[in-house]
Every structure is written in C-alpha cells, then in structure tokens.
Amino acid sequence: MTAERSAAAGDARVQAPFLTAEWRDLVMLNYEIDPALLASRVPRGCELDFRDGRTFVSVVGFRFLDTRVLGVAVPFHRHFDEVNLRFYVSGRGPDGPRRGVVFIKEIVPRRAIAFVARAVYGENYISLPMRHAIEIEGPDASDGRVSYGWRSGDEWGGLEATISGRAAVPPPGTEAAFITQHDRGYSATRSGDTLAYRVAHPPWRVWSTAGARVDGDLASLYGRGLAPYLRRAPRSAFVAVGSRVEVYPGTPLSSREPG
C-alpha cells in the first residue's frame, strides 16, 4: 500500500462513526431559563447559544433503535429508551462557530450503556428502570401520544406529549429549528478540557403538540436550581419523527476538529 493510500485509509478510519442508530419519536419540551444557572456548566471554549435573547433547556425523551458500536450490534443493547436534560451552546471550529448541545444528565435503562457513554464521551449518564408508550401510527399520523418514564426509588417520573396536525420540517429561524438543528455535542473532561463530537442526521420533521408535561422528583434528579423552571409549562413542545443518526468520535476542542 502506498503512503498516500495508507494516509487515506487512516483518515477514513478517523471519520467513521463510533455509533449509529435510529433515533425515533423524540418528545422535546423546552423551557426558558436564567442563563446564570447554566454559566458554570458551559464547557471551556464554548458560549451559551441564545435565541432572541433567550436561553433554553430541553427535556428530551426518545427511542434508540438498531444501535451499533463501530458497526457491531451488541446483544440486548440494540433498542432502548433515553431521557436527557440539555442546553445549547456554540463552540469554536476551524470554519467558525459550531452550534451544539451540552447534556446536564442522561438516563438510560442499562448500566453498560451508561458506562460506555461516560467512558467514551465523558457524559453524565445514569441507569434507571425505564418505560415508554408510543401511540402514533407512523410518521404521517395526525394525532396520538408519546410518553417516556423512569423510576427513581419507588417513584415513577416521566414526560409525555400529544401530537396535533401533520409533521413537517420546521422553517429556518423558528424555535423548533433552533432546538433540533445542532450538530455537535460538547462535554467537559476531568482535566477541564472540552471534548467535541459530531452528530449527523437530516433535518427532522416535527409535530406540534396539543399538550405536554414532565413530572417526578425533578429536584433530586436535576437539582433544586433547575427544578422550578421544569415544573412550569414549557415555552414550546413538539415531537420529532427522528431518523438514522451517526455519532462520531470526540476530539479535543483545541485540536483541528474533523468536519
């Protein structure tokens, strides 16, 4: 093999996704929040991403389907739920700012999944018993309901939304577009540096909602500072159809991050 072909093969390995999956039936509840509550959580090299002067956190529940790590399906870990709390930032890239998300906490039902995510991406994953109910008859449905739940101790918490109308890709500049169109994840490492990783998927179609809520012991799960905001009615809520997703290996934000 020539040096040029060897280098190209190396680049291809670097660019290959670490994880592939289908992310489906995403319930997304969005809350305006005081940016001061997030300042200490912003990774080094990033800044809060505002929309019309507002800062948001989102509670998101969805299904992982046909999950594969480096192309390999792991038995008993292909299909599972996740619920996460996240906020929105902009990080530096070689071509300018890159919009992304920072996860405050992520819940999954299996300890092995949580362990791998913590080890590879430095994310704050925990493992709790989970359940879901998806009462939508396909991506062209015009009504239905989706819910995700987790059990902490003897208490169940969860989020749910009832869809309304037909799903469509949100127009540029809308709140739904702002929430769904971030293609980077950022996490702080133990040394205080920032890990950046690319999350690739096409624009998602979203349904409007006729009602949405989250409940449970939110103070124990997310902290007393954030819980009061999450107990309010969300500023916006929608359900995304979802798609195939590719999550790429992380790189230090100070290095030349792959496009």
Side-chain angles (χ1 to χ4, degrees), residues 211-222:
R213 65 174 181 83
V214 62
D215 58 24
D217 187 355
L218 303 177
S220 295
L221 191 61
Y222 297 126

Side-chain angles (χ1 to χ4, degrees), residues 120-232:
V120 175
Y121 291 103
E123 299 287 11
N124 185 21
Y125 270 81
I126 63 172
S127 174
L128 294 173
M130 299 186 73
R131 64 188 182 188
H132 69 269
I134 299 172
E135 301 167 7
I136 298 177
E137 295 183 356
D140 296 321
S142 58
D143 57 32
R145 185 181 71 93
V146 184
S147 67
Y148 296 94
W150 63 86
R151 191 181 73 205
S152 181
D154 295 328
E155 181 179 356
W156 279 93
L159 70 161
E160 69 173 31
T162 301
I163 67 168
S164 175
R166 298 288 183 178
V169 175
T174 61
E175 194 159 294
F178 173 84
I179 295 296
T180 59
Q181 295 175 13
H182 291 73
D183 63 355
R184 289 296 188 281
Y186 297 102
S187 62
T189 66
R190 292 182 179 180
S191 65
D193 294 328
T194 299
L195 194 70
Y197 55 93
R198 184 162 63 96
V199 182
H201 62 77
W204 286 332
R205 296 165 60 201
V206 303
W207 284 283
S208 299
T209 59
R213 65 174 181 83
V214 62
D215 58 24
D217 187 355
L218 303 177
S220 295
L221 191 61
Y222 297 126
R224 296 187 180 277
L226 298 177
Y229 291 88
L230 304 178
R231 294 194 186 104
R232 303 172 182 173

